[in-house]
Amino acid sequence: MAPFSVLMSLYCKESPQYLSEALDSIFAQTVLPAEIVLVEDGPLTDALHAVVDECRKRHPIFKIVKNPHNLGLGPSLAKGILHCSHEYVARMDSDDSMPADRFEKQLEAIGRGYDVVSCWSLIFDASPDNPTAVKRRPETHQEITKLARRRSPVCHAAAFMRKSAVLAAGNYQARNLYEDYHLWVRMILSGARFHNIQEILYYVRTNPAQIARRQGTRYLKTELRCMKEFRNMGFYSATDLCINAAIRIVVRLLPARFAPKIFTIIWNRKN
C-alpha cells in the first residue's frame, strides 16, 4: 500500500497519558505510517517530552517540527503538512485513539480517487467502552457537500487527505476553532472529492468541561465571522447564512449546563 504520513500537533496542556495512548494506537495499526510529523506548538512539559522521546526510541519515524511559541492548531497544521513527505496524510489528535484497521480502510478508500476520506467517530469521556455518542456523517460527496452548508461534514481528526488537494485549496489557515470546517469548504469549492466510511474508525476523547467551552459569545463571534466568509466565498446562500446564524445564536447562548445534551443530540444526527 502507498506510504503515508501522520500529522499531529501537540501543546503543553495536553495529557502525557493520553498522548501515550494515542501513539500506541498508531503503532497498533494493521498498516503503519512511513512517518509521523509531530508539531510541537510551543514549549512542552518534561512529561510530554519524555513520552515523545521514549516512543521515538522504539519507532524512529518521527519528524519533529518546533514552534517557538504557541501558534494554535490551524497554523501548526499548515506548517506540519508542508513537512509531510508523502501525498497521503492522516490526521490524528494527541488525546484520541482508534481501532486497528482505520488506516488500512482509509488507504483503500482514498485510492479510489477521493481527496478526503473520513469516517464515523465514537465520542467518549473515560473510556471508548462507555461512549457518549457516535458522530455519524453521510457517505457520498453529494451528501457531504449538502451537509457542509449547515455544519462541518467530516470528522477532522479522523481525516485521511491528499496533501496536494489541501495545498491547492490554500492549506490550513488561522481560523480559531474553525480551521477544519474552513478548509473543507475551500476544498469543496476547489473541486476536491470527499467520502465518509460508514463505520466507526476513530475514538474522540471529550468531557463536559470541553463541551461547555464551546458556549458563550466569544465562540459565537468566531462562528459568525467564519459563516460570513463562507457567504463571501459564494458557498453559503443568504438563506444558509441566516439559518446557520440563528441556530448558532440559540445554541451558543444556552446555559453551559445544557451543552452536553445538545451536542450529544447533534453528534448522533447523520444529516
Side-chain angles (χ1 to χ4, degrees):
M1 302 184 96
F4 64 96
S5 307
V6 171
L7 175 59
M8 304 177 70
S9 178
L10 181 64
Y11 83 118
C12 65
K13 293 184 179 180
E14 299 188 53
S15 162
Q17 177 186 339
Y18 296 163
L19 173 62
S20 180
E21 292 173 7
L23 294 174
D24 285 346
S25 74
I26 290 175
F27 292 105
Q29 291 290 295
T30 56
V31 176
L32 296 178
E35 68 176 4
I36 298 175
V37 176
L38 180 64
V39 182
E40 295 183 358
D41 190 14
L44 303 180
T45 64
D46 291 343
L48 287 170
H49 277 301
V51 172
V52 174
D53 291 344
E54 174 61 27
C55 198
R56 290 175 72 185
K57 290 177 185 176
R58 291 183 284 117
H59 307 284
I61 63 170
F62 283 79
K63 184 184 290 185
I64 305 298
V65 180
K66 294 179 181 288
N67 293 339
H69 54 86
N70 181 260
L71 299 179
L73 184 60
S76 294
L77 295 180
K79 181 186 290 189
I81 202 165
L82 295 175
H83 284 83
C84 290
S85 305
H86 304 288
E87 169 69 348
Y88 294 153
V89 177
R91 272 283 291 118
M92 177 80 185
D93 276 348
S94 60
D95 57 353
D96 295 337
S97 60
M98 53 191 170
D101 56 353
R102 175 200 164 190
F103 290 159
E104 181 178 353
K105 289 183 175 180
Q106 288 184 309
L107 264 175
E108 189 279 327
I110 205 168
R112 300 200 299 267
Y114 299 110
D115 298 294
V116 177
V117 172
S118 193
C119 57
W120 291 2
S121 54
L122 181 146
I123 314 297
F124 74 98
D125 184 351
S127 167
D129 294 330
N130 296 294
T132 302
V134 174
K135 187 183 286 187
R136 297 171 173 85
R137 291 294 181 262
E139 181 176 12
T140 69
H141 178 77
Q142 183 178 6
E143 293 171 319
I144 290 167
T145 299
K146 181 180 178 181
L147 180 59
R149 289 188 164 82
R150 292 291 175 263
R151 54 197 170 115
S152 183
V154 301
C155 176
H156 174 222
F160 209 98
M161 308 170 287
R162 291 181 187 267
K163 175 180 176 179
S164 59
V166 173
L167 297 181
N171 203 347
Y172 285 95
Q173 296 179 8
R175 298 296 187 280
N176 185 37
L177 305 173
Y178 256 55
E179 50 276 309
D180 55 338
Y181 192 7
H182 199 274
L183 175 62
W184 304 148
V185 167
R186 286 183 282 111
M187 290 186 75
I188 289 170
L189 290 172
S190 71
R193 302 288 296 174
F194 285 70
H195 178 76
N196 281 321
I197 297 173
Q198 302 294 282
E199 296 180 50
I200 298 170
L201 296 177
Y202 197 78
Y203 306 144
V204 178
R205 187 187 303 274
T206 191
N207 58 60
Q210 288 176 312
I211 296 170
R213 286 198 290 271
R214 299 184 181 190
Q215 298 302 102
T217 57
R218 182 180 178 186
Y219 198 105
L220 175 61
K221 288 177 181 178
T222 298
E223 288 185 302
L224 295 179
R225 281 195 300 270
C226 194
M227 287 187 283
K228 287 179 182 177
E229 285 192 73
F230 294 164
R231 171 62 174 152
N232 292 336
M233 292 176 191
F235 186 73
Y236 274 7
S237 67
T239 301
D240 290 330
L241 180 59
C242 291
I243 291 173
N244 292 334
I247 292 171
R248 265 58 171 204
I249 289 170
V250 171
V251 171
R252 300 305 177 194
L253 297 184
L254 284 171
R257 67 180 182 274
F258 295 121
K261 183 172 288 293
I262 292 295
F263 279 93
T264 298
I265 293 170
I266 293 172
W267 286 331
N268 280 312
R269 291 184 59 199
K270 186 174 178 179
N271 297 304

